[in-house]
Amino acid sequence: MKPLKRMSLKDIVIEKLHKHIVDHQLQPGDRFLNEKEIISLVGVSRTVVREALQAMEAVGVLRIKPGDGIIVNESSLHHLVNQFSFRWSRDRSRMLELLETRVMLELSALELIIRRLNSKPEAVEFAEMDARIEQMEKAIKLKLPIMEEDIEFHRKLFKMTGNQTFYELSEVITQYFHEVRESRMSIPEGYGNTLVEHKQIVHFIKQMDLEGAKKTMVKHLSPLKEIIMKGLY
């Protein structure tokens, strides 16, 4: 039997905050706990709490309003399928279907970004993408895990489409690949390939070379199929 995966502190906090919303029957628009109250509730550092809040805001659970606190947001697409997460992640056929869907989403994201570059180039910001690549490069040099950097790279990619609904849908799909991604990222030899592919994807986007970006993305995601087929997650 495969040992149970240990949850990160951030994931534990997110789980507790989800429970708080359910237990207190909070509705969209209701005021949520502030940072001090959350720290008191979960007993972790402010840094971890902020990471958890940012993750919950990214998928639409909470809305952080500077100077006005934290608000429970409208229900997001994430919650519509959350109940199926455990079953889907252990069904090989379903995971292969989800992988196909993820590839389509990633390729569509590239199309949307390049379309925005053509019509409104000032709306497409590369600074965060470049920063993610730089962080991954530093992590590799220090022989540190790069899974979180990979997650953030793809998250920023979807953000660059400028389409919030598309972004939320991508979060729903890609959440099921956490263990698959972890399996791939556990092999240090593959770190360099991931970094190179990230750099190439951004390069092709900047050059508005859609075909080159798509080919690199397909190559980048192709190892996930083998991991799923072999049940290595």
Side-chain angles (χ1 to χ4, degrees):
M1 178 182 293
K2 182 180 178 180
L4 292 175
K5 180 180 176 296
R6 294 182 61 185
M7 295 177 67
S8 67
L9 277 177
K10 181 185 76 174
D11 290 334
I12 292 172
V13 173
I14 290 172
E15 188 175 84
K16 288 184 177 181
L17 296 185
H18 279 151
K19 186 176 185 300
H20 179 85
I21 292 173
V22 174
D23 289 348
H24 291 79
Q25 299 182 356
L26 299 181
Q27 301 299 313
D30 287 349
R31 187 170 296 280
F32 195 62
L33 302 171
N34 60 39
E35 282 189 3
K36 288 184 178 180
E37 290 170 332
I38 295 172
I39 292 170
S40 176
L41 175 69
V42 299
V44 298
S45 69
R46 185 182 299 273
T47 299
V48 174
V49 166
R50 287 183 174 175
E51 288 176 356
L53 289 173
Q54 288 171 0
M56 292 177 74
E57 184 179 37
V59 297
V61 179
L62 299 174
R63 183 157 42 98
I64 302 173
K65 302 175 68 176
D68 196 27
I70 304 169
I71 307 297
V72 177
N73 209 356
E74 295 292 335
S75 297
S76 68
L77 292 172
H78 172 80
H79 296 288
L80 297 180
V81 298
N82 190 54
Q83 59 183 310
F84 300 113
S85 178
F86 183 84
R87 176 166 61 85
W88 282 9
S89 66
R90 279 147 184 82
D91 182 328
R92 186 176 300 173
S93 296
R94 177 71 72 170
M95 287 297 290
L96 289 172
E97 290 178 359
L98 287 169
L99 177 58
E100 288 181 351
T101 305
R102 178 182 173 185
V103 172
M104 287 188 286
L105 285 172
E106 298 267 7
L107 298 182
S108 295
L110 296 174
E111 291 181 5
L112 288 172
I113 294 167
I114 290 178
R115 188 183 305 166
R116 289 185 80 200
L117 273 174
N118 273 313
S119 62
K120 198 175 181 182
E122 68 276 10
V124 182
E125 177 58 61
F126 286 98
E128 290 187 344
M129 293 293 284
D130 293 335
R132 298 325 305 184
I133 290 175
E134 185 177 341
Q135 283 296 110
M136 178 175 282
E137 201 158 19
K138 289 179 180 178
I140 290 173
K141 288 179 181 179
L142 295 172
K143 301 186 185 304
L144 297 173
I146 62 169
M147 189 173 71
E148 289 301 322
E149 299 305 328
D150 183 62
I151 290 171
E152 286 303 316
F153 175 87
H154 290 275
R155 182 171 284 147
K156 299 302 181 189
L157 188 74
F158 284 113
K159 277 287 229 183
M160 287 171 68
T161 67
N163 186 318
Q164 180 62 25
T165 300
F166 188 85
Y167 171 69
E168 288 189 4
L169 180 59
S170 72
E171 286 284 302
V172 170
I173 298 299
T174 57
Q175 69 172 307
Y176 299 107
F177 293 92
H178 189 278
E179 292 183 11
V180 180
R181 179 189 273 110
E182 186 174 52
S183 179
R184 181 188 183 188
M185 296 296 148
S186 67
I187 306 171
E189 291 77 10
Y191 286 8
N193 290 338
T194 299
L195 177 62
V196 169
E197 288 158 4
H198 281 192
K199 287 183 175 181
Q200 289 175 341
I201 289 167
V202 174
H203 168 76
F204 285 127
I205 293 173
K206 289 178 178 179
Q207 297 298 314
M208 291 191 286
D209 182 348
L210 181 58
E211 183 178 355
K214 282 187 171 183
K215 284 183 178 179
T216 306
M217 182 63 76
V218 169
K219 177 183 177 183
H220 180 60
L221 298 175
S222 61
L224 301 182
K225 183 174 182 179
E226 183 179 359
I227 292 171
I228 293 170
M229 290 297 294
K230 292 183 177 180
L232 299 177
Y233 61 98

